[in-house]
Amino acid sequence: MKGKFYGIGVGPGDPDLLTIKAKKVLNDVDIILAPETKDGKGSTALNIAKPHLNKNIEIIEKKFPMTYDVEVLNKSYDEISNFINKLVNDGKKVAFLTLGDPMVYSTYIYLFKRLKEKDIDIETIPGITSFCAIASKVGVPLGENEETIAIVPSVYYEKGDKKLEEILNNINNIVFMKASGEIDELIDELEISGHKEGSVFVSRLGLDDEIIERDIEKRKGIKNNYLSTLIAKKNVKSR
Amino acid sequence: MKGKFYGIGVGPGDPDLLTIKAKKVLNDVDIILAPETKDGKGSTALNIAKPHLNKNIEIIEKKFPMTYDVEVLNKSYDEISNFINKLVNDGKKVAFLTLGDPMVYSTYIYLFKRLKEKDIDIETIPGITSFCAIASKVGVPLGENEETIAIVPSVYYEKGDKKLEEILNNINNIVFMKASGEIDELIDELEISGHKEGSVFVSRLGLDDEIIERDIEKRKGIKNNYLSTLIAKKNVKSR
């Protein structure tokens, strides 16, 4: 029997935002690998997929280090991809779960890059990104007509950051991912560039402690949760 | 009975890339509205959803004008949103189908904006975007670590376009939507900015006449199909 590796996007959180394809594949594989970020906390991606698993499948939760230390990260990615490679070579069908979409800022990318160097069959199944789910939920279009969209990770939030300034100058709609911690400086920059009034801040969408704030000035001085996103739209009157 | 309007993203083409939620809602509504772009050609979005419809639901195909004439477009959006409003006020549950994600360059946005001014219940259900499906299929990550992503519609493809130049200067990964017609000038710009070598051109993904071209120079002088996308990555060696 020939094994295969599947990278599966489970979407932003609502189990029903899994695709029909993801559900089919998850019920066809031998082993599901689920990333666990904090000891004992379990896997968020697995909790999203669980309601759709209708047969007994071996589930392995793999701990990923929460660190920016590249050496530690690489060692961990090497180990896990070697582990997957071995399983697939043993003829197993293995699925790796990932939040949102596998090709957008996902841990899966680092495993995928390593595994595609090896001689195994790989299929990646796309998922609903967090920002598309947020845009639908709050009713804020990400792009129309000739507008542009940018997706920007939190590292660019500092005031005076030249790259941030130029992105703000040139892009109509910007999704700021992981708008966690204090975002006061970012909000100031959005005011200067004309993005502030039409923006919306969203934290922990769909969860009990969800926050949707259309007056983003109110988010100043607050240490925001890790699962926060800010959609900034240029020259739009506030809604 | 209270009516409701649903905007439903059916994803990029593969019926199994519909979400479980989209399938549930489609089998719960009274009427499905499907956009038809060319007379007699039927609705692509409806063809994607059809395999998952397991009860008899009234289907109405609505013709949308293929034009850039804003007056003609607005008149059409007004008419269709008034039609939807009336159905919902009559207590009907109505679903409007849209390709990809409803909030990313979709016709749905123009209906949504009109209908949210009226006093009806609206829910938008996100879908897999074409660019996420393409990235998964061709194995090209859209964004990692501190990289940025931009989504750029085809209007910016001209050589010497200042905005294109600045986007190329500042963004690592760029998705060029609707890379149709000749894209020679765009390819020249990508070479200058260092995006060319790591890029991939994809046309009609998943269809019989699918094209995946990693040497994008080869796309010069060719009139590309409307359903074409170019993912450009900065400073990546060609794969």
Side-chain angles (χ1 to χ4, degrees):
Chain A
M1 198 180 76
K2 222 179 141 240
K4 186 168 174 177
F5 177 56
Y6 296 91
I8 298 182
V10 299
D14 179 348
D16 280 355
L17 289 180
L18 237 80
T19 63
I20 291 163
K21 189 163 190 181
K23 181 175 175 172
K24 281 184 184 172
V25 170
L26 284 173
N27 285 294
D28 180 53
V29 297
D30 304 300
I31 297 164
I32 294 174
L33 269 181
E36 192 189 26
T37 43
K38 281 182 193 164
D39 259 332
K41 287 269 180 184
S43 162
T44 308
L46 180 61
N47 287 335
I48 295 169
K50 237 174 205 167
H52 300 297
L53 302 180
N54 45 34
K55 69 163 193 173
N56 243 345
I57 303 165
E58 186 182 350
I59 294 170
I60 302 174
E61 298 195 34
K62 274 279 173 195
K63 209 174 157 282
F64 280 80
M66 283 290 268
T67 174
Y68 290 108
D69 185 328
V70 177
E71 216 173 294
V72 174
L73 285 171
N74 280 337
K75 194 167 161 262
S76 159
Y77 298 148
D78 285 346
E79 269 173 19
I80 295 172
S81 54
N82 286 334
F83 178 73
I84 293 166
N85 187 45
K86 196 184 167 316
L87 290 171
V88 174
N89 278 318
D90 286 348
K92 301 288 187 197
K93 287 187 271 188
V94 182
F96 179 82
L97 304 181
T98 191
L99 291 172
D101 180 82
M103 287 299 178
V104 177
Y105 304 113
S106 143
T107 301
Y108 171 73
I109 296 170
Y110 311 104
L111 300 179
F112 170 77
K113 282 183 156 182
R114 283 162 171 80
L115 286 161
K116 79 171 181 178
E117 305 300 322
K118 309 191 192 272
D119 187 29
I120 62 168
D121 198 4
I122 304 179
E123 185 174 343
T124 309
I125 296 169
I128 304 286
T129 61
S130 60
F131 56 83
C132 284
I134 288 169
S136 275
K137 183 69 186 289
V138 300
V140 171
L142 294 174
E144 295 174 55
N145 290 323
E146 304 185 354
E147 292 178 2
T148 44
I149 308 171
I151 324 290
V152 176
S154 58
V155 70
Y156 298 104
Y157 294 180
E158 259 178 65
K159 197 166 183 164
D161 184 306
K162 268 274 156 256
K163 211 153 191 170
L164 173 63
E165 247 181 65
E166 292 188 15
I167 292 170
L168 287 167
N169 281 339
N170 290 299
I171 308 270
N172 308 84
N173 303 281
I174 310 178
V175 176
F176 291 98
M177 307 279 284
K178 291 175 192 156
S180 55
E182 284 189 26
I183 53 169
D184 299 23
E185 294 195 346
L186 175 61
I187 294 170
D188 286 342
E189 292 289 309
L190 294 174
E191 181 155 26
I192 295 165
S193 65
H195 285 80
K196 193 176 138 193
E197 227 193 327
S199 297
V200 58
F201 171 89
V202 179
S203 180
R204 298 179 65 77
L205 188 81
L207 300 170
D208 288 342
D209 50 352
E210 169 187 286
I211 296 165
I212 297 174
E213 180 56 75
R214 285 165 201 271
D215 180 1
I216 61 167
E217 184 72 25
K218 288 190 183 157
R219 298 309 299 172
K220 279 193 172 174
I222 298 173
K223 206 176 167 320
N224 297 302
N225 184 276
Y226 179 77
L227 289 174
S228 298
T229 302
L230 198 159
I231 298 177
K233 296 180 76 74
K234 196 159 190 159
N235 300 330
V236 174
K237 276 190 201 139
S238 74
R239 276 142 292 121
Chain B
M1 198 181 75
K2 222 177 142 240
K4 186 167 175 176
F5 177 57
Y6 296 90
I8 299 182
V10 299
D14 178 348
D16 280 354
L17 288 180
L18 238 81
T19 63
I20 292 163
K21 189 163 188 181
K23 181 176 175 171
K24 280 185 185 174
V25 171
L26 284 173
N27 285 294
D28 180 54
V29 297
D30 304 300
I31 297 164
I32 294 174
L33 270 180
E36 192 189 26
T37 43
K38 281 182 192 164
D39 260 332
K41 287 269 179 185
S43 163
T44 309
L46 181 60
N47 287 336
I48 295 168
K50 237 174 203 165
H52 300 296
L53 303 180
N54 45 34
K55 67 164 196 174
N56 241 345
I57 302 164
E58 187 182 350
I59 293 170
I60 302 175
E61 297 196 35
K62 275 278 173 197
K63 208 173 158 285
F64 280 80
M66 282 289 267
T67 174
Y68 291 108
D69 184 327
V70 178
E71 216 172 294
V72 175
L73 284 173
N74 280 337
K75 194 168 161 260
S76 159
Y77 299 149
D78 286 345
E79 268 173 21
I80 295 172
S81 55
N82 285 334
F83 178 73
I84 293 166
N85 187 45
K86 195 185 168 314
L87 289 172
V88 175
N89 278 319
D90 287 347
K92 301 286 187 200
K93 285 186 273 189
V94 182
F96 179 82
L97 304 181
T98 191
L99 292 171
D101 180 82
M103 288 299 179
V104 177
Y105 304 113
S106 145
T107 301
Y108 171 73
I109 295 171
Y110 311 105
L111 301 179
F112 170 78
K113 281 181 157 182
R114 283 162 172 80
L115 286 161
K116 79 171 182 177
E117 305 298 323
K118 309 192 191 273
D119 187 30
I120 62 168
D121 198 4
I122 304 178
E123 185 175 343
T124 309
I125 296 169
I128 303 286
T129 60
S130 60
F131 55 84
C132 283
I134 289 169
S136 275
K137 184 68 186 291
V138 300
V140 172
L142 294 173
E144 296 173 55
N145 290 323
E146 303 185 353
E147 292 178 2
T148 44
I149 308 171
I151 324 292
V152 176
S154 58
V155 70
Y156 297 104
Y157 294 179
E158 258 177 69
K159 198 167 180 165
D161 184 306
K162 267 273 156 259
K163 211 153 191 170
L164 173 63
E165 248 181 64
E166 293 189 14
I167 292 170
L168 287 167
N169 281 339
N170 290 298
I171 307 270
N172 308 82
N173 304 281
I174 310 179
V175 176
F176 291 98
M177 306 279 284
K178 291 173 192 158
S180 56
E182 284 188 26
I183 53 169
D184 299 24
E185 295 197 344
L186 176 61
I187 294 170
D188 286 341
E189 293 289 307
L190 294 175
E191 182 155 26
I192 296 165
S193 64
H195 285 79
K196 193 177 139 193
E197 227 194 326
S199 297
V200 58
F201 171 89
V202 179
S203 180
R204 298 178 65 77
L205 187 80
L207 300 168
D208 287 344
D209 50 353
E210 168 187 286
I211 297 165
I212 296 173
E213 181 56 75
R214 286 165 201 273
D215 179 1
I216 62 168
E217 183 71 25
K218 288 190 182 156
R219 299 308 300 171
K220 278 192 173 174
I222 298 173
K223 205 175 168 321
N224 298 303
N225 184 277
Y226 178 76
L227 289 175
S228 298
T229 302
L230 198 160
I231 299 177
K233 296 179 78 72
K234 197 159 192 159
N235 300 330
V236 175
K237 277 192 201 135
S238 76
R239 277 142 292 123

